[in-house]
Amino acid sequence: MQIDTAQLTALAIEIAKILAAAVCILVFILLVVLYVVLKLRWVIARIQSRLGPNRTGPWGVLQTVADAIKLFQKEDIIPRGADRWLFTIAPAIVFIPAYVVYVVIPFGKGLTVRPLDVGVVYVTAISSISIIGIITAGWASNNKWSLLGAFRAASQLIAFEVPVILAMCIPVLLSGSLNLDVIVQKQAGSIRDWNLFNAFPMCQIACLMLLIAGLAEANTTPFDLMEAESELVAGFNTEYSGMKFALFFLAEFAEAFTLSALLVTLFLGGYNPPVHFLGGGLTGYWFSLVSLVWFLVKCWLVVVLILWIRSTFPRVRIDQLMNLSWKGLVPVGLANLLVTGAYVGLWVAR
Amino acid sequence: MAILGFEITGYQIAFVVLAGITLGSAALVVLMPNIMRAALFLGLTLLGVAGLYVLMNAAFLAAVQVMIYVGAVTTMIILAIFLSHRLMQVGFAQAIHNPVFAFAAAGVMFIFLFITVANSLWVRDICAPGPANTDVGVHAVANALLQPYVFPFELASVVLLVALVGAVVIAKEDRPGEP
Amino acid sequence: MKKGLLKDIINAFVSLPKGLWVTAKNWSFLRPSVTQLYPEEKPTLPERYRGMPTLPVDPTLGRTPCIACGACARICPEHIITVVPEKVSDPKDRRPAEFVIDISRCMWCGLCMEVCPKNCLKPARTFELACYDRQGMIYKLEDLMRLGGTLEPQPEETKESEGAHAG
Ligand code: SF4
Ligand code: SF4
């Protein structure tokens, strides 16, 4: 039994890199979720003429940290009659896809963990796994509210996955690549090169579609039918508490951030600065840093938009939701795809 | 790396692990008495197949496999389970009523698939040792689908369309006054 | 349905931004927050705030003008007022030896204050009654006098007119 040291070292370095990236992403997700939840509470409070959390730490910034610590201390309850195994792994099935999606998101120039060639398909494929987790959670809880929530989750998520894919096809067609990094690089330059301000009106329609369908996929308020607390107690996570509930919670807000990152990447120029002199001329590590900052700023704006929508609109009814997808977004998306395909094939390609 | 005199590459280890996951969970799909768990293991089986695609450098195919089979088909199967049983009845059970016939059917299917696979052109390329060096990119898949294989591709879409129309016809409620 | 669909779409593009505009207006500096930062910023109690019944001190007497008639104890639906009169020879100088209210069961109905012939049972202008022990909710005569503050001098006829209003 002989062991090639050089090979082993290379392997160890590779594994260490992967682990470091995984930990970085996990920490990033935790920080983002802590911030987004806090921001959500501030935004909703201000819209309702309140102040929101302002006691824990300076300006209340430690409020969500305190909530998280409280959540981790809670008793972990598995209801009698529940399917113990499925009940336990369901939060993981929901959280892991929401986590693994971050592998392809271009946070900045050269700051993608793995710039996969099939990035866009990868994102939709991986996030479609979480449906199974939600259904499993609803079924394993042995509770009718959970099961109804799971039913709704299945129909809603499948219905809105189609418009999401159709909307994401538009920038893919325009830039001719499924790689998110390449899509971002095609939008380099100034704000006029961003997809949102090109190819009128296909890109604008696609952007709006991705926003609407993405909100439904991420289960945020106008479309949070699967946990509609006024009808279903808490939907699929009724029976969950403690750490397992925290995982669902984390996944939900991580998905909301993924949505904003996708919107930024596909339509808002990704990590490119909006005007050239604000960092466009830099190179090397400096540009990586500046592009990371621009990416986060843009994501912050989209997140605030999502929170604004979330705290404004009331929840839709389940039949309205289904009609919106199958009778509204899907036909519009198909027509949009056809027009964009013709545009790219006949106009851009020439 | 060599273990017990055999030269073993990381590729082979990954293949064995993925194939093990695929076959093991496929066996569990059949053997699980609880049909809901069986459906979830089906999802794992399909994920394992996607992993094998990744090993073959067919990342696009793997992603599509996950999206369609794990994301959509497994969900549909679970929904079908929900809809065909009484809602809160936990003891979903599956039983093999006629093992001899089942084995015979599966065996015929296996032989048929094996002959098809062994005779197909691409097996010779894939069977070259180590991972294939050419990355089967999206462009290659697109060209293959729209040039040499355009007829089967369109035929498949027609079959799906027929299935869709059929589903709508079956699901359409009978209104009095309509034929 | 067909005609309604177009109307619905136009409606959506008009009404959804309208809704967002409404919330944006609240969100901006146009609508300051109405939150009272409670422990630092005490709420202003309304003039006729109905707090717990207390016995304010009459500055001329140096004590509560209560005559220990027991009317409040009798009318209290919860039977939580205990009045023990002091043994005095002069019937005009009756006063309570003990006056206990177990405020934990009070329902703030105000009947005791209404029935008091001397109009000396008054609502306290405080609401911070929380304590760590049930015993803390039992208020004795001196606590009630301390919490009540001073009794504003009031002519007899005011009381009559108040009674008329209340009736
Ligand atoms: S307010 Fe009502 S309940 Fe409270 S002490 Fe007076 S009479 Fe009794
Ligand atoms: S009714 Fe008034 S005067 Fe009579 S005992 Fe009660 S507080 Fe004293």
Side-chain angles (χ1 to χ4, degrees):
Chain A
M1 185 163 168
Q2 81 233 41
I3 286 163
D4 188 341
T5 340
Q7 228 177 353
L8 261 192
T9 325
L11 191 69
I13 288 175
E14 192 65 16
I15 288 175
K17 267 187 189 168
I18 291 172
L19 280 182
V23 171
C24 279
I25 293 179
L26 196 60
V27 170
F28 179 79
I29 291 180
L30 281 176
L31 290 177
V32 160
V33 170
L34 286 178
Y35 174 73
V36 171
V37 176
L38 187 67
K39 185 71 191 167
L40 171 69
R41 292 173 61 179
W42 275 337
V43 168
I44 291 186
R46 281 304 296 127
I47 282 175
Q48 297 169 351
S49 298
R50 297 183 286 114
L51 283 176
N54 64 348
R55 288 295 155 131
T56 329
W59 308 289
V61 290
L62 294 179
Q63 182 64 50
T64 42
V65 178
D67 286 347
I69 294 172
K70 184 202 77 174
L71 204 53
F72 288 147
Q73 292 172 339
K74 291 236 167 176
E75 188 187 354
D76 189 20
I77 300 166
I78 297 181
R80 200 181 306 138
D83 191 326
R84 295 184 73 89
W85 276 98
L86 297 186
F87 191 82
T88 309
I89 61 163
I93 307 181
V94 174
F95 178 69
I96 290 174
Y99 168 51
V100 176
V101 157
Y102 282 72
V103 162
V104 290
I105 289 177
F107 288 98
K109 177 115 185 113
L111 290 181
T112 319
V113 179
R114 276 288 140 88
L116 292 182
D117 269 340
V118 290
V120 175
V121 192
Y122 173 84
V123 169
T124 50
I126 294 295
S127 40
S128 70
I129 296 179
S130 62
I131 304 178
I132 293 181
I134 289 178
I135 300 178
T136 312
W139 184 80
S141 302
N142 193 24
N143 173 325
K144 53 179 174 277
W145 309 119
S146 307
L147 192 61
L148 280 174
F151 258 114
R152 285 185 176 189
S155 47
Q156 171 180 342
L157 292 178
I158 287 189
F160 278 91
E161 210 168 79
V162 182
V164 163
I165 296 170
L166 287 175
M168 298 212 303
C169 281
I170 308 302
V172 167
L173 271 179
L174 286 173
S175 43
S177 173
L178 284 169
N179 188 331
L180 287 170
D181 269 307
V182 175
I183 293 176
V184 171
Q185 278 151 25
K186 284 267 163 79
Q187 301 176 63
S190 72
I191 194 165
R192 289 220 17 85
D193 298 299
W194 294 1
N195 274 337
L196 184 63
F197 304 106
N198 277 310
F200 182 83
M202 285 86 82
C203 262
Q204 290 72 20
I205 292 174
C207 184
L208 200 61
M209 254 175 70
L210 183 59
L211 179 64
I212 295 172
L215 283 176
E217 284 275 283
N219 187 21
T220 42
T221 282
F223 309 113
D224 63 343
L225 267 292
M226 49 185 116
E227 48 178 68
E229 58 271 17
S230 52
E231 314 154 23
L232 292 185
V233 188
F236 65 91
N237 57 27
T238 306
E239 296 288 355
Y240 280 87
S241 61
M243 282 287 281
K244 296 191 188 113
F245 176 76
L247 275 185
F248 280 126
F249 199 70
L250 214 56
E252 184 181 329
F253 280 89
E255 274 171 23
F257 184 80
T258 311
L259 171 64
S260 62
L262 276 181
L263 277 167
V264 167
T265 306
L266 293 176
F267 294 101
L268 297 178
Y271 49 69
N272 291 309
V275 276
H276 188 74
F277 63 85
L278 283 177
L282 296 171
T283 46
Y285 288 123
W286 283 111
F287 186 66
S288 291
L289 193 66
V290 169
S291 59
L292 176 66
V293 171
W294 274 116
F295 181 78
L296 291 180
V297 166
K298 287 177 192 174
C299 281
W300 183 80
L301 287 174
V302 179
V303 163
V304 169
L305 174 72
I306 291 173
L307 298 183
W308 183 14
I309 291 171
R310 183 180 171 133
S311 44
T312 300
F313 297 130
R315 184 180 302 127
V316 298
R317 231 170 38 220
I318 184 82
D319 59 319
Q320 294 169 330
L321 184 82
M322 286 311 186
N323 281 353
L324 175 66
S325 171
W326 293 119
K327 293 188 185 168
L329 295 179
V330 170
V332 170
L334 283 173
N336 198 13
L337 185 62
L338 199 67
V339 172
T340 315
Y343 169 75
V344 171
L346 302 177
W347 191 273
V348 178
R350 292 278 153 93
Chain B
M1 228 190 317
I3 294 173
L4 301 175
F6 289 105
E7 191 67 23
I8 292 185
T9 60
Y11 177 81
Q12 279 161 339
I13 296 174
F15 177 81
V16 168
V17 169
L18 282 172
I21 289 175
T22 311
L23 290 179
S25 50
L28 283 174
V29 173
V30 185
L31 298 176
M32 271 277 158
N34 183 327
I35 196 166
M36 178 75 188
R37 291 187 182 187
L40 288 174
F41 274 114
L42 180 64
L44 189 59
T45 311
L46 297 168
L47 259 185
V49 174
L52 291 176
Y53 287 153
V54 172
L55 273 192
M56 287 189 258
N57 272 351
F60 179 73
L61 202 58
V64 171
Q65 161 91 6
V66 172
M67 186 159 79
I68 293 178
Y69 284 95
V70 184
V73 171
T74 313
T75 314
M76 282 300 162
I77 288 174
I78 293 173
L79 263 191
I81 293 172
F82 279 0
L83 290 175
S84 56
H85 284 73
R86 260 188 291 144
L87 268 185
M88 294 309 295
Q89 187 182 336
V90 184
F92 295 164
Q94 68 167 352
I96 303 167
H97 294 296
N98 196 340
V100 179
F101 185 74
F103 264 103
V108 169
M109 191 70 195
F110 175 77
I111 292 167
F112 174 71
L113 278 180
F114 186 81
I115 293 171
T116 317
V117 169
N119 286 339
S120 58
L121 276 174
W122 43 265
V123 165
R124 266 169 265 147
D125 309 332
I126 299 296
C127 283
N133 283 326
T134 49
D135 190 353
V136 187
V138 186
H139 289 276
V141 173
N143 282 333
L145 277 183
L146 288 183
Q147 279 157 1
Y149 297 109
V150 68
F151 184 67
F153 179 58
E154 289 301 321
L155 200 65
S157 66
V158 169
V159 170
L160 288 178
L161 187 68
V162 169
L164 260 181
V165 173
V168 170
V169 170
I170 292 172
K172 197 164 166 274
E173 54 185 316
D174 295 321
R175 291 212 190 86
E178 275 180 33
Chain C
M1 172 71 213
K2 277 283 165 303
K3 253 186 288 173
L5 187 64
L6 192 66
K7 227 172 103 188
D8 279 353
I9 292 173
I10 296 170
N11 221 339
F13 277 97
V14 174
S15 63
L16 293 184
K18 232 188 227 172
L20 287 173
W21 172 241
V22 170
T23 46
K25 269 196 300 194
N26 276 11
W27 192 357
S28 66
F29 59 90
L30 289 173
R31 270 276 293 273
S33 134
V34 294
T35 308
Q36 275 178 334
L37 291 168
Y38 161 61
E40 291 102 49
E41 208 182 286
K42 301 285 187 212
T44 45
L45 292 176
E47 198 190 334
R48 309 197 70 174
Y49 177 75
R50 184 192 270 190
M52 68 171 275
T54 48
L55 294 165
V57 176
D58 188 342
T60 54
L61 289 177
R63 62 171 172 86
T64 170
C66 166
I67 52 169
C69 66
C72 53
R74 276 194 301 282
I75 201 157
C76 174
E78 298 286 341
H79 306 297
I80 58 176
I81 306 183
T82 315
V83 191
V84 177
E86 199 165 306
K87 298 258 184 303
V88 282
S89 47
D90 183 6
K92 287 229 156 116
D93 193 30
R94 284 166 62 95
R95 62 181 75 172
E98 245 179 84
F99 197 111
V100 183
I101 302 183
D102 178 3
I103 213 71
S104 61
R105 269 150 57 211
C106 175
M107 59 178 174
W108 268 250
C109 67
L111 284 174
C112 51
M113 308 178 214
E114 208 157 291
V115 82
C116 175
K118 297 296 284 183
N119 214 10
C120 62
L121 208 52
K122 289 281 177 196
R125 299 193 63 77
T126 177
F127 54 89
E128 289 162 320
L129 301 173
C131 56
Y132 286 100
D133 192 341
R134 252 177 297 177
Q135 292 301 315
M137 299 296 256
I138 296 174
Y139 286 83
K140 302 257 166 51
L141 182 58
E142 46 276 24
D143 307 320
L144 292 168
M145 294 212 285
R146 180 171 41 78
L147 270 178
T150 42
L151 188 70
E152 290 135 46
Q154 44 183 290
E156 282 297 297
E157 56 270 20
T158 322
K159 199 229 152 190
E160 290 306 312
S161 63
E162 249 183 29
H165 272 294

